[in-house]
Amino acid sequence: MRILDLDSNRKLHNIILYLTMSEAMELRSKMDSIIERPGADNHEHIPSEDYQKEITICIYDEKNLEGFDERSKKLILEDE
């Protein structure tokens, strides 16, 4: 698991997600979607109800990081 704060460009170790029921249901739906269609650059965005915040989720394979930007690759491979 890797967690990146895009605003500060820093990795995070421990987070809490506070979701409404509709946001949680959308997160579950998007997770099912990316699990069912694995592959490079497979990701989904889950916006907050007011569209002011967003969670991006993806599945990665350390042996195939095609489609990931350099920052993401560094985080995945080096946890930095």
Side-chain angles (χ1 to χ4, degrees):
M1 174 187 295
R2 303 293 187 259
I3 306 168
L4 177 65
D5 176 355
L6 285 178
D7 291 338
S8 68
N9 193 30
R10 292 179 47 218
K11 70 176 183 165
L12 302 175
H13 296 278
N14 190 350
I15 63 169
I16 299 174
L17 295 176
Y18 297 90
L19 304 173
T20 65
M21 183 60 72
S22 65
E23 291 164 347
M25 290 171 53
E26 185 166 358
L27 175 61
R28 179 176 62 186
S29 173
K30 298 290 177 97
M31 284 298 300
D32 288 342
S33 175
I34 65 173
I35 289 169
E36 291 169 4
R37 54 179 174 80
D41 199 32
N42 186 9
H43 68 281
E44 290 285 351
H45 303 274
I46 300 94
S48 61
E49 290 179 342
D50 63 4
Y51 295 95
Q52 300 300 306
K53 298 171 185 75
E54 181 177 83
I55 299 168
T56 302
I57 56 173
C58 62
I59 296 175
Y60 67 89
D61 177 348
E62 288 185 10
K63 296 177 182 135
N64 180 10
L65 296 177
E66 182 180 332
F68 286 96
D69 62 21
E70 291 306 311
R71 178 60 180 107
S72 296
K73 289 177 184 178
K74 181 178 176 99
L75 180 68
I76 291 167
L77 294 173
E78 301 171 23
D79 196 19
E80 295 197 22

